[in-house]
Each structure stands twice: as C-alpha cells, then as structure tokens.
Amino acid sequence: MVTFEEYKDLTSLTTFGVPVKARWYAEYASEKELLKITRDGRFIDNQVYYIGGGSNLLFLHDFDGLVLRSAIKGIVRYDKDPQTCYVIAGAGEKWSDLVEWTVNNEIAGLENMAAIPGDVGAAPVQNVGAYGVEAKDVVFSVECFDTMTRKTVRFSAEECGFGYRDSMFKHEGKGRYIVLRVSFRLSQTTKPSNLSYGPLKEFAKNLGHEPTIREIADEIKRIRDSKLPDPDKLGSAGSFFKNPVVHNGFLKEIEVLTGQRIQGHPVGEHHTKVSAAWLIDNAGMKGMRCGGAMVYEKQPLVIVNTGHATAEDVKLLAEKVRSEVRNKFLIDLNPEVNYIDTTINVTLLGTGTSKGIPEIGCMCRVCQSPYLKDKRTRTSALVRTMGMTLLIDPSPDFRQQALREGLHHIDAVLVTHGHNDHVGGLDDLRPFCADHRLTVYTDPITDKELRTHFEYCFREHPYPGVPTFDMHVIDKNPFFINGVKIIPIEVMHGQRPILGYRIGKFAYITDAKTIAPEELEKLEGVDTMVLNALRDRDHFSHFTLEEALEVINEINPRQAYLTHFNHEIGRHHELASRLPENVAPGYDGLTFNVR
C-alpha cells in the first residue's frame, strides 16, 4: 500500500546529512504501486525527484514537490552455462549488498566496485565505477517504468547510452524512466575480472598469488576506508567532481599558458582524462573550508560535512574549488553530485530586437539615451535550475553577454527559431564545446537552417576548434533535460511557426504575433513569463505592446516581463510608468527567481 508523507524529513536519507524536507514523499515496492503513484495528483501536479541511497545528491533547499524512493527488493541468478550467469537485482537493493552477495556466491564482475554507496537503481543511471570497472562493463539490461506510457520497458546496455559517469537516464530519459531492476552479465568464477588498476596490480604482486574476488573486494574496502571519510562521522557524497576529459590540443595550450604539466591518461585518440583530485590539490584547495563544509584532507575530490554544514556552505565551497582550478589550470570541473533545486533563476541576457538599441546611425532620444537600461543587445536568456544552465538563443551579441555575466558553463541550448538575431552567436559557443558536443534542441526547420548556415560545425571531420553540437530535433511534445521537463509552446512569427518554452512555472516567448488556443492552454498556471512586445505601432510578425498585454491578461501570471523591443517603445522608465502592476519591462542583465 502506498503512503504519501507530507513535509518528510529527508536528512537521514542522504549521505551528506544536510537538513532538508520534501513537500511529499512516497516509497513503492512494485510496478503496481508505482502505477498508482503516477495517477495521483501529487505526482501529476508537482516536480518529481527519485532518490536511491541518497549518495550522489545535494538538496539546495527544501524540495517543493514529490520525492520517490524504490523499495523493490530481490536478487536472483540465472546460470546460462558453466562460465556465465545473469544476476537480476531490484532497484531498491543496496549496491554494496549486491556486490557482497555476488562475492559470497562466487560470481565475478562486481568485486572492483565493492563498498560504493547507493542503491542498485542508481548504478546504470550514474554508470558507477571504481578501480578499472564501470557499470557499463557488466550491465546486460535495465528494466524501467515509463511514466509517459505507464508501461514497463527494457533497455539493452547499448540503448542506455553509457558514458563517463553518464547515461541516457541522466538526459532525455531522466524524469521519464524509473529503474525497476537491473540485469548483470557476470562470470561463475572466483578469479577477478579486472586487475589493471595500479593499486590492484601492486596488491596482487605483494600477495604472491593470484587473488580471489573475496581478496580483491576486501582490499578495495580497505583502500576506500583509508581515503574516504567515515559516513557516521563526516557526511559526504563521495567524489564531488568528475575527472575532466580534455582534448589533447587544448591540453597542450593549457600547459603553454600555465607552465603546468597536467597529470592524466589517454582516453581514445585525441583526449586525456585529467585527475580532478590532482587539479584540486595543486590549486591549494585541500582542507579549504566554507562554514561547515570542507575539502577532505585525505581525498580532495570529496567535500565533507563537518557536522553543521548547510547546503549553501557546500555549494559555495564547490564553486570556490571550481573557480580556483579554472583560474590556475583553465579547466572547468563539473560536479558528479546532482544539485536538487526547484527554484528557477532567469537572466535576460538581451532584450532588443534584430537591430538592437541603439540602432546603428540612429540619433533618436532612445538610441542616444545615457541610461544602461536603454542599451539593449539582441534577445536571449539564461535559465538555471536543478544545477543546470540552459541558454535560450545564442544571439549575435552572445559573446559580450557571456563576458558580462561571467558565464563559463552551459549544459544545453534551446533555440526558438533560426533567424540570425537569435542564432548568430552560435559560433561563440566554442568554449562550451571544448570537451564534448554541446546539446542543442530545436524544431526541424531551424535544425536544417543551422546545418546550412553553420555548415562547418556539422562536417564529419570538423576543423579543430570549431564548435560541435549534439542536435535534438523536437516537436510540440514535452521532453526532458536531466530530469527537467521542458514544454515547447508553438507560436506564430508572422506565417512561420516558432517555439517558446515552459519550464516549471516559468515561460519564455519571443517573436510571437499569434498563439493558438491549444498552445495558450499550455501556459495555464504559469507564475512568471517573458513575452515580446516590439512597439506600439502594428507589426506583421511581432506583438505590439497592446497585444502583448492582452495575452498577459488572459494567462494572468503573477509577474510578467516584456522583451524584444525596438527603439520606438521609448525609454525604459517611460515604458515602466504605463504598464500594469504585474508587468515590467525587461532589460539586459535583469535576473529574477521563479519558485
């Protein structure tokens, strides 16, 4: 039977031990119970987050939504032949218990991952790994519940899209697929599957005989205990940062600019995996404190709660570590820990139309205004939520916008349409493509336009250093980015359909002239929205101020901001004086939160 708990204290369910509560909490022990949960209003009407052992996450605030946890148990084996067997474990089983079970039953393959905290369900999501072995090496298939179709589906290891501490479950699958069970393809033997990792090679050499899986598991527990904090004394999330993978050309450039030879080992033909622990240590951050949070002195990859840390302490310390490493080595460390925060932080990078304000050659009083709020670069925005930074439209002015905001990381790009004043800055995304293809979401028409206008970015063998992209063509149906639900809103830009986006209770729409009733329905319940309002005089493809106010009045958000102005709209303070109480003119650099 499913029970929903209100204002549940989650502190003991996370390994950080930072105080946090959830508005709603529920556990499920079967697909039937999970199906019942997904039909409940508390699931349908709230942000939903799934936790396992709570070992790889940091709640920045109390969670204003529903937290779910698997209680699906059970471990079974199926022997295929004298050498091979399959082990199937419920998502709610502890990972360390599963490893111990396989070792006790003389089944090899998981022993190198002994003592990793967390539940089995998190293993394929995170592609957990240690001492030369990752989940991708042993996972055969993953059984999931699809929250959109409400059916059970199964993914092969290939379909999981495994990468370094990554999988499709952290991207397009997050929020949609809930792991129920994981099947592993293992070996019926006491002989270890992998002794390639340095400390294990040395251990085997000193042992004087080929170690058993029991000896390897015990040695790994000993090594981990010597490096990692006792969870009963110091809360942590294990390794806080990923080891960065850097292109060899960029690595050589870093060494020339910094004079530092950076440690790492080859990954593929053109990249090197760099030791994040070495970077942090050599940036002088070992032992650094921020409130009750500290960079662990025995292992600088770990941030610990010394007993009274707040989530803000941990976040600030992590940002300080990233800043110091970036300043000294020009490498940005990405957290392995998931930041959980339902707050949506929005920054309007630009609020001008295609010519910007001031317009070139114009001597009108608006273009000649000395006030900063009347200087408007081409329209774009940043959205930060759940630890992610999303860019909406790389305008031709993106470079100066990014420098103004001190922007150094983007997780994905949402494109509204392919007109140059919204995508002309695509080439300036080079810094965000240094070690991977940057994910871009857009409609089919714009995808084709980008591939034509920026052809050099999409060649099979692109010129070194050009930005490269992982293109996702979307329609009007919702999709997920790292668990965050994105709802496209189709609007008409004259005769052309383009996209706006709804994220939680925030909506962003630009270049609209009309919005169909069925698309307006998607905006029901929006708290804060940004909407274009070109000028007072009619335009064939943009809302006038009057038309924009009519749409806002129909949607009735708590707060609305206007954007995509030309100089005819007047000066900022003049426009503000003639707007309703819940409507304000946006301006470049405006930042606000939506909760």
Side-chain angles (χ1 to χ4, degrees):
M1 178 178 179
V2 176
T3 300
F4 287 89
E5 298 181 57
E6 194 171 5
Y7 299 111
K8 170 74 172 181
D9 189 336
L10 302 178
T11 308
S12 63
L13 300 180
T14 69
T15 59
F16 246 125
V18 172
V20 63
K21 292 182 179 180
R23 178 69 173 84
W24 297 102
Y25 173 84
E27 293 186 358
Y28 53 91
S30 66
E31 293 93 321
K32 184 177 180 180
E33 290 184 354
L34 187 52
L35 178 61
K36 182 177 181 181
I37 288 173
T38 61
R39 290 172 172 166
D40 191 280
R42 284 161 288 197
F43 180 93
I44 297 170
D45 299 332
N46 285 288
Q47 179 85 4
V48 180
Y49 194 79
Y50 311 91
I51 64 172
S55 61
N56 208 46
L57 49 85
L58 175 67
F59 284 93
L60 297 181
H61 305 284
D62 286 347
F63 190 78
D64 187 22
L66 171 65
V67 170
L68 294 177
R69 189 180 190 191
S70 174
I72 297 177
K73 303 289 187 178
I75 303 173
V76 296
R77 68 182 288 175
Y78 295 96
D79 296 338
K80 179 183 179 183
D81 54 49
Q83 290 78 40
T84 307
C85 75
Y86 295 92
V87 172
I88 302 173
E93 290 283 352
K94 285 187 178 181
W95 176 262
S96 57
D97 289 348
L98 171 63
V99 175
E100 189 69 11
W101 186 92
T102 60
V103 171
N104 288 339
N105 283 274
E106 299 185 344
I107 299 173
L110 304 184
E111 61 278 357
N112 289 41
M113 294 184 281
I116 292 178
D119 288 354
V120 167
V125 175
Q126 188 70 8
N127 186 23
V128 298
Y131 300 96
V133 178
E134 293 182 321
K136 69 178 180 62
D137 302 321
V138 290
V139 167
F140 177 73
S141 65
V142 182
E143 185 180 329
C144 300
F145 181 84
D146 186 339
T147 60
M148 294 186 71
T149 64
R150 293 194 173 96
K151 295 181 179 179
T152 299
V153 294
R154 184 174 286 101
F155 298 99
S156 68
E158 292 75 19
E159 292 172 322
C160 291
F162 288 124
Y164 174 56
R165 300 297 176 269
D166 201 14
S167 71
M168 73 92 171
F169 300 111
K170 296 183 73 174
H171 301 284
E172 66 270 21
K174 189 168 183 179
R176 176 172 180 173
Y177 301 115
I178 305 174
V179 177
L180 301 172
R181 296 172 187 84
V182 184
S183 175
F184 302 90
R185 189 176 189 273
L186 304 172
S187 301
Q188 298 189 65
T189 178
T190 59
K191 182 179 179 180
S193 59
N194 190 320
L195 294 176
S196 63
Y197 193 76
L200 299 185
K201 283 184 179 180
E202 191 66 22
F203 172 69
K205 180 180 177 181
N206 294 335
L207 200 61
H209 64 264
E210 184 176 65
T212 64
I213 55 175
R214 166 53 64 196
E215 289 171 322
I216 288 297
D218 289 345
E219 174 63 10
I220 286 173
K221 291 177 189 177
R222 187 195 65 77
I223 295 173
R224 293 181 67 89
D225 288 344
S226 69
K227 290 183 177 181
L228 300 177
D230 183 344
D232 293 330
K233 297 179 181 179
L234 294 172
S236 80
S239 297
F240 199 96
F241 299 101
K242 299 177 184 178
N243 290 318
V245 177
V246 182
H247 191 280
N248 293 338
F250 184 47
L251 193 61
K252 290 179 181 178
E253 185 177 347
I254 292 172
E255 292 176 354
V256 170
L257 293 173
T258 66
Q260 297 276 349
R261 187 166 183 81
I262 299 174
Q263 294 185 2
H265 65 272
V267 179
E269 187 177 352
H270 302 294
H271 291 79
T272 296
K273 183 184 287 186
V274 175
S275 168
W278 185 91
L279 293 173
I280 298 168
D281 191 8
N282 284 270
M285 297 303 293
K286 186 185 291 184
M288 181 65 63
R289 290 175 178 262
C290 184
M294 180 180 73
V295 178
Y296 193 47
E297 293 176 330
K298 293 183 180 180
Q299 171 52 274
L301 264 183
V302 177
I303 292 178
V304 296
N305 176 4
T306 61
H308 57 278
T310 64
E312 189 66 16
D313 291 341
V314 177
K315 180 184 177 183
L316 288 175
L317 180 57
E319 288 305 310
K320 186 170 181 62
V321 169
R322 295 179 73 179
S323 178
E324 290 297 318
V325 168
R326 190 165 50 245
N327 290 341
K328 187 164 184 177
F329 300 109
L330 310 180
I331 294 176
D332 188 29
L333 293 179
N334 291 321
E336 189 171 322
V337 170
N338 294 304
Y339 287 8
I340 314 303
D341 186 5
T342 53
T343 300
I344 300 171
N345 176 265
V346 180
T347 299
L348 300 184
L349 296 176
T351 54
T353 189
S354 56
K355 295 181 181 179
I357 303 174
E359 290 190 9
I360 296 174
C362 183
M363 302 300 291
C364 77
R365 58 189 297 274
V366 176
C367 289
Q368 293 297 304
S369 171
Y371 300 111
L372 286 178
K373 290 182 180 179
D374 291 331
K375 312 293 184 184
R376 300 184 182 278
T377 55
R378 267 71 69 90
T379 300
S380 59
L382 279 181
V383 178
R384 296 181 173 96
T385 186
M386 297 293 281
M388 291 194 304
T389 298
L390 307 177
L391 170 67
I392 303 180
D393 288 346
S395 84
D397 300 316
F398 173 73
R399 181 179 183 276
Q400 69 186 83
Q401 295 167 347
L403 290 171
R404 182 191 71 213
E405 297 297 326
L407 186 62
H408 53 76
H409 180 77
I410 294 174
D411 291 284
V413 180
L414 302 173
V415 179
T416 59
H417 61 296
H419 288 175
N420 191 66
D421 57 322
H422 292 264
V423 299
L426 199 75
D427 187 82
D428 288 327
L429 297 174
R430 290 172 183 249
F432 310 102
C433 305
D435 58 1
H436 68 287
R437 293 178 181 269
L438 184 60
T439 304
V440 177
Y441 296 85
T442 193
D443 62 32
I445 296 174
T446 303
D447 177 74
K448 184 177 180 180
E449 290 171 340
L450 294 180
R451 291 178 185 274
T452 300
H453 297 160
F454 297 91
E455 176 272 337
Y456 60 93
C457 297
F458 298 96
R459 295 174 184 172
E460 183 178 354
H461 301 290
Y463 185 83
V466 304
T468 55
F469 305 104
D470 179 17
M471 301 298 292
H472 289 244
V473 177
I474 57 174
D475 52 24
K476 294 190 290 184
N477 293 313
F479 60 97
F480 293 88
I481 304 177
N482 200 22
V484 175
K485 187 177 183 180
I486 313 292
I487 302 175
I489 312 293
E490 185 181 84
V491 302
M492 295 303 297
H493 181 32
Q495 298 300 310
R496 171 176 175 158
I498 68 171
L499 296 177
Y501 295 98
R502 176 173 180 170
I503 305 172
K505 295 181 180 180
F506 168 69
Y508 182 93
I509 295 174
T510 184
D511 285 37
K513 181 61 176 179
T514 58
I515 307 177
E518 62 270 20
E519 296 301 303
L520 276 175
E521 288 180 8
K522 296 180 181 179
L523 299 172
E524 182 179 349
V526 161
D527 174 89
T528 305
M529 72 177 301
V530 174
L531 186 66
N532 64 293
L534 184 71
R535 63 192 186 195
D536 290 295
R537 188 163 54 92
D538 188 44
H539 191 276
F540 73 96
S541 62
H542 293 275
F543 281 140
T544 63
L545 175 60
E546 181 180 1
E547 289 169 337
L549 293 178
E550 289 176 357
V551 172
I552 292 169
N553 185 60
E554 183 173 354
I555 297 170
N556 194 30
R558 180 189 59 82
Q559 179 66 54
Y561 296 98
L562 303 178
T563 191
H564 207 279
F565 304 112
N566 80 355
H567 59 175
E568 291 183 39
I569 201 68
R571 291 184 173 180
H572 176 90
H573 68 278
E574 296 168 344
L575 175 60
S577 68
R578 57 193 184 105
L579 294 177
E581 186 176 352
N582 70 325
V583 182
Y587 56 86
D588 291 18
L590 170 65
T591 297
F592 55 88
N593 290 327
V594 183
R595 298 184 184 277

